[in-house]
Amino acid sequence: MDALLNLRQLVDSFFLLVQCKSIEIYNEFSPPHELGIFVREKLTNEIMQIKKRLILTLRKVVQ
């Protein structure tokens, strides 16, 4: 459950940055692309897959 809460906080933070124009959304394809970059920078121990309709799949990296 903590991972879901953290993901929710990350998504909220992302859209706050979009709202204050720190992250630019330039066309219909940029939200998942920019969100992926943002989340990847924050979650360095996760494997992330972005699928159609902004579905994020996260799982722990096995070392």
Side-chain angles (χ1 to χ4, degrees), residues 33-45:
H33 176 74
E34 296 296 335
L35 178 60
I37 292 169
F38 178 80
V39 172
R40 186 178 296 126
E41 289 174 353
K42 303 294 181 190
L43 299 177
T44 57
N45 291 329

Side-chain angles (χ1 to χ4, degrees), residues 25-59:
I25 300 299
Y26 41 88
N27 62 31
E28 66 272 17
F29 301 107
S30 67
H33 176 74
E34 296 296 335
L35 178 60
I37 292 169
F38 178 80
V39 172
R40 186 178 296 126
E41 289 174 353
K42 303 294 181 190
L43 299 177
T44 57
N45 291 329
E46 307 286 337
I47 294 174
M48 182 178 61
Q49 297 174 342
I50 299 177
K51 300 178 182 181
K52 290 181 182 178
R53 298 185 189 162
L54 267 180
I55 298 171
L56 291 177
T57 303
L58 299 174
R59 59 178 193 247

Side-chain angles (χ1 to χ4, degrees), residues 14-23:
F14 171 77
F15 282 106
L16 285 173
L17 291 172
V18 170
Q19 185 177 13
C20 70
K21 301 193 187 311
S22 294
I23 295 177

